[in-house]
Amino acid sequence: MNKSNKSYLFLTVIFCLVIIYSSFNSGSLLSSEYRDGETIFKNICATCHVRHGKVIQEGLKSLRFSDLEERGIANINAISEIANEGIGYMKGYKNKLGEGEDKIIAEWIIENSKRGWDIQFNK
Ligand code: HEC
């Protein structure tokens, strides 16, 4: 083995160690990124909370800011607890939420409900 082959080998080993190390830290290979609120909502919540989060199926409760306020849950702590533990007929989704994602989705919901759910989903 000549000298330059050795240094390639060395670099490869270092590279592998970095990958292995980062996968231990993040729980999944090369994806230490959190999902953002919109992605979490689309992935988990949007099937029931349809029409941009306004309505839980026609006629039932909604994620309108006024509704959340009326029920005393118009804050990040309450919404993240609902996301984790559920409420009434809704089950909790803590198994599907990564670490910290309960707060991210809660913040995103509060923000969008305050803006009247004016966001456009691009799908
Ligand atoms: C399988 C359907 C379903 C999914 C998925 C779902 N929900 Fe719900 N959600 C409901 C139902 C049904 C209610 C009303 C529960 C009740 O009061 O009995 C509700 C209620 C809520 C409420 C309270 C609304 C209010 O005005 O009282 C919040 C907040 C909420 N969901 C957030 C979320 C979040 C965040 C997610 C995603 C992590 C999510 N939901 C996923 C069905 C769902």
Side-chain angles (χ1 to χ4, degrees):
M1 203 181 267
N2 66 32
K3 199 174 173 210
S4 91
N5 273 350
K6 268 188 198 149
S7 50
Y8 273 125
L9 188 64
F10 179 72
L11 286 176
T12 309
V13 168
I14 295 294
F15 184 70
C16 289
L17 287 176
V18 168
I19 302 263
I20 290 164
Y21 181 75
S22 61
S23 72
F24 273 126
N25 270 348
S26 65
S28 71
L29 207 61
L30 290 179
S31 66
S32 54
E33 299 285 303
Y34 291 118
R35 291 177 290 181
D36 63 11
E38 184 172 338
T39 309
I40 299 169
F41 191 79
K42 276 186 193 165
N43 287 355
I44 309 178
C45 322
T47 31
C48 301
H49 296 277
V50 288
R51 281 222 248 132
H52 305 182
K54 258 187 210 145
V55 199
I56 302 162
Q57 295 153 13
E58 217 56 60
L60 286 171
K61 292 176 181 176
S62 87
L63 300 180
R64 273 187 214 100
F65 193 70
S66 56
D67 282 356
L68 299 180
E69 263 187 326
E70 210 170 282
R71 280 185 259 287
I73 54 173
N75 62 77
I76 291 168
N77 283 341
I79 304 288
S80 65
E81 189 175 329
I82 291 169
N84 281 324
E85 307 297 337
I87 181 174
Y89 292 114
M90 176 189 146
K91 69 173 182 127
Y93 289 91
K94 62 171 171 244
N95 294 339
K96 293 194 175 179
L97 293 164
E99 212 186 315
E101 288 186 343
D102 55 342
K103 293 281 189 287
I104 295 174
I105 182 66
E107 227 178 293
W108 186 85
I109 284 177
I110 295 287
E111 205 183 295
N112 278 286
S113 66
K114 279 185 183 161
R115 296 207 322 245
W117 290 100
D118 61 353
I119 68 163
Q120 297 294 319
F121 285 97
N122 44 5
K123 66 168 176 187

